[in-house]
Amino acid sequence: MSAPAPAFRDRVLALVARIPEGRVMTYGQLALLAGQPGAARQAGFVMNSLMGGGELPWQRVINAQGRVSTHKLGFGDMQERLLQAEGVVFDASGRCDLSRLQWWPEEAAPSAPEPLL
DNA sequence: GTCGTGACCAGGC
DNA sequence: AGCCTGGCCACGA
């Protein structure tokens, strides 16, 4: 394809759009699947650009600590509420069980022998 | 083209 | 348990 590879931003958004209800993904994970391991901050920067605007389930994106990183932005409470509405349970520390809720696309399953296409 | 910034991550105290 | 530091890479002006 002579067309340039999709921007990191679009790549992340595509992944977020595929997160099923009741599941979550971490920023580092999005960056990894987007082809830029270590670019977790950028994944967050991409979400910040959306600012909750659009049909994208940005609420399902949380940090590696299993906690929402939007508290200081002002709408973190809304994110937790939306996730709780999907069945996600947060403990007293505001953290959820990533080992159970973290979702991986089939083409990038952690157990898959092939890393990416 | 360069600089600064950020919804992070991991390690150490 | 919580708090601080350094490092990482892409996007906007």
Side-chain angles (χ1 to χ4, degrees), chain A residues 5 7 34-35 49 68 70-71 77-79 83 85 100-102 107:
Chain A
S49 298
V68 297
T70 52
H71 275 291
D77 189 51
M78 176 174 72
Q79 183 172 7
L83 289 173
R100 197 184 70 175
L101 298 174
Q102 188 171 17
E107 58 262 27

Side-chain angles (χ1 to χ4, degrees), chain A residues 24-93:
Chain A
V24 297
M25 289 182 78
T26 68
Y27 299 96
Q29 183 183 0
L30 287 169
L32 179 67
L33 297 176
Q36 299 304 335
R41 304 191 72 172
Q42 268 41 10
F45 191 79
V46 170
M47 305 305 284
N48 188 8
S49 298
L50 304 177
M51 243 180 168
E55 307 293 319
L56 207 66
W58 60 273
Q59 63 223 48
R60 294 171 191 157
V61 182
I62 61 179
N63 60 22
Q65 300 175 356
R67 199 182 190 298
V68 297
S69 307
T70 52
H71 275 291
K72 59 183 181 180
L73 293 179
F75 51 91
D77 189 51
M78 176 174 72
Q79 183 172 7
E80 281 190 25
R81 189 176 299 180
L82 289 168
L83 289 173
Q84 288 177 358
E86 296 183 358
V88 177
V89 180
F90 291 90
D91 63 8
S93 301

